[in-house]
Amino acid sequence: MISTRAHGFQRLFTGMMGLLITLTAAASKPAPLPPEQADGWSLRQEVDNVRIYTMEREGSSFEAFKAVAELDVPIENLMAVMINPESCKEWVHNCIESYAFGQGSFQERYAYSVNDMPWPVTDRDYVLRIQTQGDATTGEIIMTLNAMPDMRAEFNSRVRVDRSDTHYRFIPEGERTRMVWVQHTEPNGALPGWLVNSLIVDIPVKSMQALEAVAKHNRYQNHRLQWGDDGQLQGVAPAGR
């Protein structure tokens, strides 16, 4: 017969193990995406009109980055690019596949994309929820992109990114636009340090430079922002509509 003391020890041991597992999981979970104005951003590199800042994240071996640039295109052009679900291939560095899926709206929609990685590293794929909001008073537009890995089946040939948080802010300045891009991603799997360190600079620099060029293409000209009676952004459409 098992003694009452033994039962008590078993319950105590089980409780302590449960607490240890909970604390370990909490400690390993990366911290939320840092705000634009947070203390701790360190200037990593400045290339032409793009400045890259980085910050270490608690619970993660990968740094967050903040990219700031003055783009020589109006905000309407940029948003015409951003609402195109396949435009990732045009401007995001290493994006080789992108399309929308599921039910969605301008304010909240879903996309799947693939990032090409240099051999022998396996390509990474993303399932993203994209939320867009804008304020007619300031003219600013904010987009947030968050990984939703379980919304689509995984592929054996790709590694699914299960934690990625991105914040875009577009500030109109006449015919120019100031863009702030903050992102932190857990790419999963084993990645060499040299690759991670290069991507954290190469991706935002090359992407923002490409975005500025792409937004000048004819198909992204002559668009207008559609504002609701409540002053909130409802969509982007060709100027004639």
Side-chain angles (χ1 to χ4, degrees):
M1 181 175 179
I2 302 176
S3 67
T4 303
R5 178 178 294 181
H7 279 296
F9 177 78
Q10 185 178 20
R11 288 195 298 269
L12 177 61
F13 178 78
T14 302
M16 290 179 65
M17 287 301 295
L19 177 61
L20 179 61
I21 292 171
T22 301
L23 291 175
T24 302
S28 62
K29 183 178 180 180
L33 192 66
E36 293 178 37
Q37 305 303 326
D39 295 331
W41 287 114
S42 177
L43 181 62
R44 176 78 167 268
Q45 192 166 344
E46 187 167 357
V47 181
D48 297 330
N49 62 328
V50 184
R51 297 186 304 279
I52 306 297
Y53 303 81
T54 58
M55 182 190 298
E56 293 185 355
R57 305 308 297 140
E58 183 179 352
S60 174
S61 57
F62 301 97
E63 294 179 313
F65 72 76
K66 177 176 71 170
V68 182
E70 304 290 336
L71 304 181
D72 188 24
V73 284
I75 194 170
E76 292 84 0
N77 293 40
L78 293 173
M79 292 311 299
V81 177
M82 302 304 286
I83 64 169
N84 177 1
E86 298 185 0
S87 69
C88 172
K89 296 179 292 184
E90 297 183 278
W91 71 275
V92 177
H93 185 54
N94 290 338
C95 179
I96 58 172
E97 183 177 342
S98 180
Y99 56 83
F101 72 91
Q103 300 297 318
S105 64
F106 173 79
Q107 287 81 11
E108 183 169 343
R109 56 196 187 275
Y110 300 89
Y112 173 82
S113 65
V114 179
N115 273 22
D116 178 54
M117 305 294 280
W119 186 90
V121 179
T122 305
D123 291 349
R124 264 55 179 175
D125 68 352
Y126 296 74
V127 180
L128 298 170
R129 177 180 64 185
I130 305 172
Q131 297 174 291
T132 305
Q133 58 182 341
D135 186 344
T137 303
T138 63
E140 293 188 8
I141 299 172
I142 293 176
M143 298 180 65
T144 56
L145 291 73
N146 305 107
M148 307 289 286
D150 298 329
M151 289 190 68
R152 292 182 70 82
E154 297 186 29
F155 297 90
N156 292 333
S157 60
R158 296 164 179 171
V159 174
R160 175 63 47 83
V161 174
D162 60 7
R163 181 67 189 266
S164 181
D165 300 297
T166 301
H167 165 94
Y168 297 133
R169 184 160 66 100
F170 300 93
I171 306 99
E173 297 180 347
E175 292 299 304
R176 300 170 63 86
T177 306
R178 177 180 173 86
M179 179 180 178
V180 181
W181 174 359
V182 182
Q183 181 169 326
H184 181 246
T185 297
E186 293 288 325
N188 280 349
L191 288 177
W194 65 265
L195 178 59
V196 174
N197 290 334
S198 65
L199 289 178
I200 207 169
V201 173
D202 285 353
I203 287 179
V205 168
K206 293 181 179 179
S207 297
M208 293 175 101
Q209 291 175 336
L211 176 60
E212 182 179 53
V214 167
K216 295 179 179 180
H217 291 175
N218 287 337
R219 62 182 174 278
Y220 295 123
Q221 304 299 307
N222 301 317
H223 282 71
R224 65 182 181 86
L225 305 179
Q226 298 173 311
W227 301 97
D229 294 337
D230 58 357
Q232 299 301 304
L233 185 62
Q234 302 296 314
V236 183
R241 296 183 185 177

